[in-house]
Amino acid sequence: VRYAPLCVISFPLFTLKKPKDEQLLSACYEELQSPPDRLRWCRCRAGLIQREVAERVGVHRDTYMKMENGEVDYWPQSVVDKLAELYRIPAEDLLDDYNCFLRKGQGQAVRQYREQLGMSRSEFALLLQVDPCAIRRWETMQRIMTKRIWERCFAGKI
């Protein structure tokens, strides 16, 4: 019996950086400041993939992905409520200042702010550089104010 020499092949091992989701899971929920991070944290904690969450709350997967990435300005109230119920967290935890403004009732806030400035709808529209009909629609909740205009109006940029 003859034996052949044993040949050992070695190669360097390498490690990949932790995926973003794994890094996020190591954080404490209370430390997370942004709604997209909280949303991603809750999904990972629940062991769900984006497609599953999107199906459960009734949105397209691409829309849900954009929500997690912070690419969506307006989060519909019905979707936020379903997400909050799914993850058993307060809906307010998933809202930034703009979406809180919309949820609490933009109409009253816009009207109060305009009246506080002592302006008519036309004057306020001129200040914001929008059509005067837009002011009426915002105040009567027929349309939502865009985030860009909200930032100019309520984030102290006027």
Side-chain angles (χ1 to χ4, degrees):
V1 173
R2 296 187 82 174
Y3 293 99
L6 178 63
C7 181
V8 176
I9 300 174
S10 65
F11 52 90
L13 293 176
F14 62 95
T15 59
L16 298 173
K17 289 184 179 180
K18 283 184 172 181
K20 191 173 184 178
D21 289 349
E22 285 184 31
Q23 291 175 350
L24 190 66
L25 276 176
S26 64
C28 181
Y29 179 81
E30 289 76 23
E31 295 172 357
L32 302 173
Q33 297 299 312
S34 75
D37 283 345
R38 289 183 188 137
L39 194 60
R40 191 177 313 107
W41 187 92
C42 288
R43 177 183 56 80
C44 292
R45 206 44 105 164
L48 300 170
I49 60 175
Q50 291 174 333
R51 180 181 45 78
E52 292 172 321
V53 175
E55 288 172 359
R56 289 184 188 192
V57 299
V59 297
H60 194 274
R61 186 176 76 73
D62 291 341
T63 301
Y64 183 78
M65 283 175 45
K66 289 178 181 179
M67 289 173 79
E68 272 197 10
N69 292 331
E71 298 171 22
V72 176
D73 289 337
Y74 171 64
W75 293 24
Q77 186 170 337
S78 62
V79 173
V80 171
D81 290 340
K82 289 176 186 176
L83 287 166
E85 184 180 328
L86 174 67
Y87 296 134
R88 295 182 182 94
I89 59 172
E92 291 74 26
D93 283 4
L94 297 175
L95 300 175
D96 59 9
D97 291 340
Y98 169 66
N99 283 285
C100 277
F101 163 78
L102 296 175
R103 187 177 181 98
K104 290 178 183 175
Q106 76 172 14
Q108 184 178 2
V110 170
R111 186 175 51 258
Q112 284 178 347
Y113 185 62
R114 177 180 59 79
E115 291 173 353
Q116 180 183 346
L117 294 174
M119 296 182 162
S120 67
R121 286 181 178 164
S122 298
E123 292 168 330
F124 195 52
L126 188 62
L127 178 67
L128 294 178
Q129 300 173 347
V130 298
D131 187 305
C133 293
I135 306 299
R136 180 181 50 77
R137 289 182 186 126
W138 296 336
E139 289 182 356
T140 59
M141 302 292 288
Q142 293 174 343
R143 282 241 166 91
I144 63 166
M145 180 183 277
T146 65
K147 188 171 186 177
R148 182 182 59 80
I149 294 174
W150 173 81
E151 287 171 343
R152 286 187 9 225
C153 189
F154 291 95
K157 295 187 179 183
I158 290 183

